[in-house]
Every structure is written in structure tokens, then in C-alpha cells.
Amino acid sequence: MALTVGLRPLTRALLRPWARVPGAALGRPAAGSGDGVRCFGSPRVLVEPDPAAGVAVMKMRNPPVNSLSLEFLTELLISLEKLENDKTFRGIIITSDCPGIFSAGLDLLEMYGRDPAHCAEYWKAVQELWLRVYLSNLVVIGAINGISPAGGCLLSLSCDYRVLANNPKYAIGLNETLLGIIAPFWFKDVLVNTIGHRAAERALQLGFLFPPSDALQVGIVDQVVPEDQVQSTARSVMAQWLAIPDHARQLTKNLVRKPTADRLLQQRDADIQNFVRFISRDSIQKSLHVYLEKLKQKKG
Ligand SMILES: CCCCCCCC/C=C\C/C=C/C(=O)SCCNC(=O)CCNC(=O)[C@H](O)C(C)(C)COP(=O)(O)OP(=O)(O)OC[C@H]1O[C@@H](n2cnc3c(N)ncnc32)[C@H](O)[C@@H]1OP(=O)(O)O
């Protein structure tokens, strides 16, 4: 898949992809790997490779809430691209290093009070991440160990399989309407593909955030397991998926997902322009302001 990252050279130059992970992670052998196999990554993305299994665990750590800022998106993209191009890996598990939070979704501060050029650059990166995960040739399993609203839910939905930790706080869904904004058509498409038209229609309009039992029932996740079993379950699911020959699985995945991805690919620039127009409206900026204030007040 030829995707351009399309981010400002400055943004990319600021990052140090593939730097050794600082602090505690530095030089720590990856879990389940033999001696000499090291964690690697970038400041906000920790990659724990298990070359023997052909699997890498990608841990998001953009505290406090793994909001998908431009820099974080860029690091995720670079990590994914690197893993995708390394023949060692056939599967990745995406999970969070921030306790209780998988991802709080798109970073509202990238959309609030920003100029159109910034919003356009940001949206391009959001599109890019979705396309990269959704169309990945790798098996992508979500080990969802925290709440995942909106963009966090999209990231989960783009995986091939979702394992959610059974904690009532770990709700998942496209809650955009609660913020006074709307889910873009491609977020909507992925939800419809996953839970069906009628359930998606209700969930999107009402901005449902499904707690684990409801999430399983509606099918937005594939499995709910005790919190301490999320990673091990993701590993055993991965083994099942890796038992299928790659070429057959990849062609099948492409067959199923390409029409959905094509809808965006055919109108990426228009989608960016629509986003910028929408998000720049005074009424939408006001809604974002109110929502951000609510988040602040919640703290007391
Ligand atoms: C014509 C058609 C055109 C189409 C146009 C389509 C437009 C569509 C546009 C956008 C789609 C949007 C997608 C999104 O993903 S929007 C984000 C949705 N996310 C949420 O609603 C979650 C908000 N956050 C929370 O509910 C909570 O923070 C929490 C449950 C995740 C964690 O709670 P808690 O542990 O109590 O932490 P705090 O609430 O105290 O948060 C800590 C800190 O982080 C800030 N923060 C939280 N979430 C975000 C975020 N998404 N972006 C930026 N910042 C966030 C929060 O404000 C606190 O900050 P601090 O006060 O400075 O410490």
C-alpha cells in the first residue's frame, strides 16, 4: 500500500523515530523474546518485538490520556510503517501504556483555536493513521485496556479483532455528538460495517459509549475478558490468526475492506476541506470550548 505520510518536514524532523526508549524501557528485553531482543520505539510509542512469534506489541504512551495529537499520530505512523516493512513481523497488538485509558480519541487541542492550515495538516494525519491501520497487511489485534471514545474507538474498530478488558469504566463508542460535532463518514462506515446499520444509527446519533457487556452484545468488540487477561488473550487470538497463510488472509482482508477505504481515498482532499470548514465554524468552536471547559471542571 503506497501511502504518503504527508506531514510537514519540520514535524517529522522533530521526531526521533526508532530511538531507543528512554528510562526504564531502555535495553529491557521484550517479553517473550530471547536475549538480545530489545524494546524500541519513539517517545510516545513503545514497541516490544517478539521476532520468534513474528509479533510486535505496540504500546501507546502519550499521557495522560493518549489523545491523538499530531506528534503522537506521526510517531504511530512511523512505527506502523516500520513494522509493516519488516518481514520479521506478521502481526501487531495495539494496546495502551496509560492506566485506564486506551485512547481519549483525537486531540481536541489540535482542532480548537487552530488555523485552517494546521487543521488540514492534522486531518491528513488522522486519515493517514486510519488508512494505515485499516488496510494493514499485518494482523492487527486491539488489546483494549481502557476507555476508548471517538478516535480511540476508530482505532479499535480498525483492528482485525478487539479484546476489551472487563471494567465498567472502559466504555467504547463514537460519542462525537456529545461534543456537538459529528463522526466523519468514514468513522461511520467502519461502525456500520462492524455493528450493522440500525445499531450504528442509534449509537452515532446518541453518542453511545458502550460499557463492556453492552459492547460485546452489540458486537463493537469481539471478546471481553478480565483485565489481567487482556494481553494473554490477544496473544492467543493472534496465534489463531497467524495460523492462516498470510497471502490468503491479506487478500481476503483487502477484498472486505478496500471498498470502505476507497470511499475516503477517492475524496481525501475534499474530506480535508470539509473538515476544515466544519471545525472552523464559530458554533463548532464554541461547542469544543464548552466541552473542554467541562473536562476541566470535572477535575473540580
Ligand atoms: C460537513 C461534514 C464535515 C465532517 C466533519 C467531521 C468533523 C469531525 C471532527 C472530529 C471527530 C472527533 C473525534 C474525536 O476523537 S474527539 C475526542 C473525543 N474524546 C472524548 O470525548 C474524551 C474526552 N476525555 C474524557 O472524557 C476524559 O478525559 C477521559 C475519560 C478520557 C479520562 O478522564 P480522566 O482520567 O479523569 O482525565 P481528565 O479528564 O482529567 O483528562 C486529563 C487531561 O487530558 C485532557 N484531555 C482529555 N481528553 C482529551 C482529548 N480528547 N483531547 C485533548 N485533551 C484531552 C483533559 O482536558 C485534561 O487536561 P488538563 O485539564 O489540562 O490536565
Side-chain angles (χ1 to χ4, degrees), residues 43 94 117 137 140 175 215 250-251 254 273 285:
I94 302 181
N137 273 328
V140 185
N175 64 329
Q250 287 163 356
L251 286 169
N254 197 260
Q273 284 165 27
Q285 286 292 308

Side-chain angles (χ1 to χ4, degrees), residues 222-283:
D222 298 298
Q223 213 173 332
V224 172
V225 301
E227 195 152 359
D228 61 356
Q229 289 169 28
V230 174
Q231 308 300 332
S232 57
T233 305
R235 292 298 289 239
S236 39
V237 170
M238 180 64 83
Q240 285 167 16
W241 283 64
L242 292 182
I244 307 298
D246 281 341
H247 68 282
R249 186 192 51 72
Q250 287 163 356
L251 286 169
T252 305
K253 178 171 179 174
N254 197 260
L255 195 67
V256 174
R257 294 195 166 194
K258 194 170 176 295
T260 301
D262 277 349
R263 286 198 68 209
L264 177 62
L265 286 167
Q266 282 155 11
Q267 48 179 319
R268 281 189 73 172
D269 288 344
D271 184 63
I272 292 171
Q273 284 165 27
N274 285 339
F275 169 75
V276 174
R277 261 197 304 271
F278 178 82
I279 215 71
S280 306
R281 284 186 203 164
D282 287 347
S283 59

